[in-house]
Amino acid sequence: MANVEVKKEGYLSIGKTEAVEISVDTFLCKGCGICLELCPRTVFEWSKELSEKGVHYPLPVNAEKCVKCKLCELLCPDFAIAVKW
Ligand code: SF4
Ligand code: SF4
């Protein structure tokens, strides 16, 4: 299994492998849960801690499962997610 590095860096919640980097801008994220519901590979889990906005935010804990479909990036209503490779 690919090594996943998960971290919170400033306003970014990041899940990174050698193949892909998924980042959630926790300043923009309103915690609606669309990305958790719609990611076909259950890449995201809720954070235990609250963001600067006072909501739980998605952590890309299973980034190694990402198939780079970009659904999360396209469907996030607040443009908070970026998937890069
Ligand atoms: S879809 Fe966007 S706003 Fe909603 S929880 Fe995910 S990152 Fe946050
Ligand atoms: S790009 Fe697709 S598989 Fe990867 S985290 Fe987003 S919705 Fe999930």
Side-chain angles (χ1 to χ4, degrees):
M1 195 188 350
N3 230 5
V4 185
E5 186 188 351
V6 184
K7 59 185 174 184
K8 175 84 157 63
E9 225 174 54
Y11 288 131
L12 293 180
S13 155
I14 301 170
K16 188 176 180 182
T17 71
E18 283 178 7
V20 70
E21 179 176 311
I22 303 155
S23 60
V24 178
D25 187 319
T26 60
F27 188 75
L28 297 175
C29 171
K30 64 186 170 201
C32 69
I34 287 175
C35 53
L36 275 89
E37 286 293 320
L38 297 183
C39 171
R41 303 303 302 272
T42 49
V43 162
F44 301 100
E45 276 180 13
W46 288 121
S47 64
K48 290 196 171 53
E49 62 179 36
L50 298 178
S51 70
E52 301 76 9
K53 256 188 183 167
V55 299
H56 294 281
Y57 54 89
L59 287 167
V61 291
N62 299 314
E64 85 282 4
K65 294 186 185 168
C66 176
V67 289
K68 304 172 182 171
C69 66
K70 281 191 175 258
L71 264 183
C72 55
E73 184 178 305
L74 293 168
L75 297 178
C76 170
D78 293 274
F79 307 103
I81 305 181
V83 182
K84 296 181 202 156
W85 63 89

